[in-house]
Amino acid sequence: LGGFISLAGAYYAARSRGIENIFMEPSFFPGRIFFVRNSFNALPVPDPGGIQISSEVKEYMEGILNRRNPVVPKKDTHHFRPALMKLTDQYNIRRLFEKFVDKYILDKKEEFQYIGEYVIHHLRMLVNHSRLKKFYKPLTPGDSFVYYPLHVPNDAALTIRSPEYLDQYAFLDYAAGNLPMGYNLYIKEHPARVGAIDYGSISRLLHQHENLKIIDPTINNYDVMEAADVVITINSKSGAEAMLLGKPVIALGDAFYTPSRLVLNPERLEELPALVKQALENRQRSDPDDVRRYFQNVWNHSWPGEIHYAEPENVRIFSESLYNYLS
């Protein structure tokens, strides 16, 4: 699944001819994937009934909470580094040279052929990160706050699944301006895109709203969520991670977990202030057994395998999953 012309074109071409289209995307659990049939929407995972929790899922969940690291598919691990490390990485330098030869000498065409723009983008991230450092705040013990982890800009999760929230700066302006008195809105950059936010837009918002704070991106996301009174997300995996912690979660967009009663899911943005107030007044953590059963159901809706990972054993596992799904 992705927001690329080739994938969108293949989807519409298939559907217009009555051919089924199956998108593949990483599941919440490492090493597992979702198959999404004939839709750009997230695979909806509802609340289960009286479901048994397997030892494998219990072990996975405990491992996620003990390590307190973001759930990242293997294909994306290289993104979770500062811009400077990406720019100086020997592999990236070699690939830059290879792509330069492919484009300008061999005249090859591909979707990722805008080499200069890509390099400039990462240089801009490096500069933005340096300029934003003066705004970064630590976690303040005892502070009352609502947490919104920033999404990857222009990711398919926003552009395709929740385009009404594509302008995150407009959303932050609305959310910060409608928080109850005495509460701050904490935001933190996505660990794979530190520096990707627009410096001018963020600095203006920080000056306009005294209750808006940007957290140092090196602080562990689980530590921020654990300290938060409420977690707001569009549809990121942070929402699911906050569910694991039992925190009150408000999910505004299209995510696999939005059908669950463990999250609040407003139909319109105008409902957000009332839901935040409701969540703050209830101050109630989700029942751990309900959380475990829900994520067992997430596991049951997923299949073994990783995408974009060509190690032979994974190819075998992935092929079996795809065959069994289609069967």
Side-chain angles (χ1 to χ4, degrees), residues 27-30 60-61 64-65 67-73 80 147 149 188 190-191 220-226 231 233 235-249 255-257 263 285-286 291 294-295 298:
S27 162
F28 173 74
F29 291 100
Y60 259 82
M61 290 172 61
I64 290 170
L65 292 175
R67 290 190 297 272
R68 299 177 78 83
N69 290 327
V71 179
V72 183
F80 283 69
Y147 177 45
K188 192 165 80 75
H190 193 283
N220 188 287
N221 200 44
Y222 280 91
D223 292 341
V224 184
M225 291 189 293
E226 188 68 72
V231 175
T233 183
N235 52 15
S236 78
K237 282 187 178 178
S238 289
E241 291 165 348
M243 291 169 66
L244 273 182
L245 294 171
K247 304 297 290 188
V249 177
F256 71 84
Y257 50 81
V263 302
R285 284 180 176 262
S286 300
V291 173
Y294 179 74
F295 281 95
V298 174

Side-chain angles (χ1 to χ4, degrees), residues 126-164:
L126 180 62
V127 173
N128 280 348
H129 176 51
S130 299
R131 298 178 72 190
L132 285 167
K133 282 182 179 179
K134 63 178 178 287
F135 294 122
Y136 290 154
K137 303 291 184 184
L139 267 181
T140 305
D143 195 9
S144 299
F145 70 94
V146 173
Y147 177 45
Y148 174 76
L150 290 164
H151 293 55
V152 173
N154 299 322
D155 186 72
L158 296 179
T159 59
I160 290 179
R161 288 189 170 160
S162 297
E164 64 271 36

